[in-house]
Amino acid sequence: MTSSPTANMAATNKQVLQRFMDIPQPDDKVQVMYIWIDGSGENLRCKTRTADVEPKKPEDLPWWNFDGSSTNQAEGGNSDVYLKPAALFNDPFRLGKNKLLLCETYTFDKKPHKTNKRHSCDAVMSDAKVKSVHPWFGIEQEYTLLDRDGHPFGWPKNGYPGPQGPYYCGVGTTKVYGRDVKEAHYRACLYAGVKIAGSNAEVMPAQWEFQIGPCEGINMGDHLWMARFLLHRVAEEFGIVVSLDPKPMRGDWNGAGAHTNYSTEPMREKGGIGVINTAIQKMSKRHATHIAVYDAHDGADNVRRLTGHHETANINEFRHGVANRGASIRIPRHVEEDGCGYFEDRRPASNCDPYRVTEMIIRTTILDEVDH
């Protein structure tokens, strides 16, 4: 008799853990969890150190280091990679004065690591021309919940649920799977100070979405990466796996994206629709360049997702339109009616790096970079 893939899985007793978490924490000691993006460009790593005073800003905390040979970021013979504090958040797991610290990675000689996409994004967002128009972003992060065996959470083990239709924003036991994770994540984001704007069940069962924003400049990437960390950490508590794969299930099932809403101050002002259309025209001329940074594998993941079906435009075409969810870029109906607002780039995949996505949009629409 063979056991199932999930049989004999190791587990710990959360009630026992709570006995120790209830031990009073010394007033002069703070736990700070340093968090960074590893060599995959998709996964997050973390470790904790003790601070003697509660930090109020990232600069209050020291640089640290880690073994880059274990994260695909260095060779074993010269393995130290530095962590530079970048963005500070409250810790919804340890509570109190404890913090979560998002970091940039630097090489042994204190240069930005090649996997550090925040550094160049921050430089672009700090440009005087960029800052003068106050770029706002909002990203709709879709994700899929999986059981430990890699099968979508709540799906029949030897089959499929009913076809898509009743699951989007659904309510009821047979309509949604894993709402507890979504609710816990939402509250964790609020406590942490992550700028979460909303959440909903998505078209494919066991698929969910949360929205981060509006965030100006570099804050978009910081807040989305921290929201992703919190999602993985919350799901860990439930023994559930989070997948950001852009097409987790083959067949007649929706993929997962990170639709990116974008505006500048001139777009948001009366008559801004003209500025919006100009920006879209600029982006139409760099479609392939944008696609190359819109997923974690230089466009390869979006080949599976951007098929022209399931609310996507074909990866080889650039289309835009009003209220068209089959377009590359969608202008919401109310934006056309108001004559100002924002537009939605529907091409970024769920596993994209928001630093790369937002930087590319700025380079094209504000800094007027072109392909030669």
Side-chain angles (χ1 to χ4, degrees), residues 88-359:
L88 191 65
F89 297 86
N90 298 320
D91 188 337
F93 305 103
R94 292 167 172 156
L95 305 176
K97 297 181 293 185
N98 302 303
K99 302 296 180 182
L100 303 176
L101 180 68
L102 187 64
C103 300
E104 291 188 24
T105 51
Y106 280 73
T107 57
F108 70 96
D109 52 356
K110 300 292 182 73
K111 295 179 180 178
H113 196 278
K114 64 181 180 180
T115 62
N116 177 359
K117 307 305 180 184
R118 187 185 189 276
H119 179 78
S120 62
C121 181
D122 193 29
V124 166
M125 297 301 178
S126 299
D127 182 275
K129 185 178 180 181
V130 175
K131 293 177 70 174
S132 70
V133 296
H134 300 286
W136 290 359
F137 298 93
I139 294 183
E140 306 165 22
Q141 176 69 68
E142 295 177 335
Y143 61 94
T144 307
L145 297 179
L146 307 178
D147 211 336
R148 295 189 186 193
D149 60 3
H151 200 62
F153 185 75
W155 284 33
K157 288 301 181 184
N158 297 310
Y160 300 90
Q164 296 183 155
Y167 310 110
Y168 172 70
C169 296
V171 178
T173 302
T174 61
K175 306 295 190 302
V176 295
Y177 309 113
R179 189 185 294 276
D180 288 355
V181 174
K182 187 271 293 187
E183 291 293 338
H185 173 251
Y186 203 134
R187 191 60 63 88
C189 283
L190 291 174
Y191 182 91
V194 169
K195 202 169 184 181
I196 188 168
S199 67
N200 58 270
E202 266 301 332
V203 176
M204 188 182 83
Q207 188 183 79
W208 295 85
E209 173 186 299
F210 62 87
Q211 302 92 36
I212 301 294
C215 295
E216 185 167 339
I218 195 66
N219 288 327
M220 183 68 257
D222 290 346
H223 282 246
L224 184 57
W225 273 115
M226 184 54 66
R228 287 176 175 178
F229 172 82
L230 292 173
L231 179 60
H232 286 292
R233 181 66 181 78
V234 164
E236 180 185 318
E237 294 289 312
F238 291 93
I240 293 174
V241 177
V242 173
S243 171
L244 297 186
D245 189 289
K247 188 67 175 178
M249 296 299 291
R250 296 180 179 180
D252 195 18
W253 304 102
N254 273 35
H259 302 154
T260 301
N261 300 280
Y262 167 64
S263 71
T264 61
E265 194 167 66
M267 293 179 191
R268 298 187 291 268
E269 294 174 343
K270 184 177 180 180
I273 191 69
V275 184
I276 289 173
N277 286 326
T278 297
I280 293 173
Q281 286 303 314
K282 292 177 181 178
M283 294 175 74
S284 72
K285 298 174 182 177
R286 306 190 79 199
H287 176 61
T289 302
H290 280 249
I291 286 294
V293 301
Y294 276 10
D295 67 38
H297 297 97
D298 303 321
D301 290 331
N302 259 335
V303 171
R304 295 183 287 125
R305 169 178 163 261
L306 299 180
T307 61
H309 304 288
H310 303 110
E311 302 182 40
T312 69
N314 188 282
I315 193 170
N316 297 311
E317 301 174 357
F318 181 91
R319 294 190 296 159
H320 70 278
V322 176
N324 183 358
R325 295 182 184 274
S328 309
I329 290 181
R330 178 181 71 93
I331 298 175
R333 178 70 64 189
H334 73 272
V335 171
E336 183 193 45
E337 293 172 351
D338 295 342
C340 61
Y342 67 96
F343 64 84
E344 175 194 47
D345 191 341
R346 298 179 59 79
R347 296 171 294 173
S350 51
N351 66 351
C352 71
D353 187 332
Y355 295 131
R356 300 184 77 193
V357 171
T358 56
E359 177 183 343

Side-chain angles (χ1 to χ4, degrees), residues 18-37:
Q18 193 58 46
R19 289 171 53 194
F20 294 91
M21 297 304 290
D22 288 341
I23 295 174
Q25 186 170 330
D27 291 337
D28 62 345
K29 300 298 176 185
V30 177
Q31 289 176 282
V32 180
M33 180 171 282
Y34 282 57
I35 300 162
W36 70 97
I37 304 159

Side-chain angles (χ1 to χ4, degrees), residues 2-9:
T2 59
S3 60
S4 69
T6 57
N8 302 317
M9 285 286 188

Side-chain angles (χ1 to χ4, degrees), residues 26-74:
D27 291 337
D28 62 345
K29 300 298 176 185
V30 177
Q31 289 176 282
V32 180
M33 180 171 282
Y34 282 57
I35 300 162
W36 70 97
I37 304 159
D38 72 9
S40 70
E42 297 181 79
N43 300 320
L44 291 153
R45 307 290 182 113
C46 63
K47 63 176 187 173
T48 300
R49 71 181 295 162
T50 302
D52 294 329
V53 295
E54 180 181 1
K56 302 298 183 182
K57 56 187 184 299
E59 294 77 16
D60 292 340
L61 292 160
W63 286 44
W64 205 9
N65 60 65
F66 65 92
D67 171 17
S69 68
S70 297
T71 64
N72 197 31
Q73 288 169 295

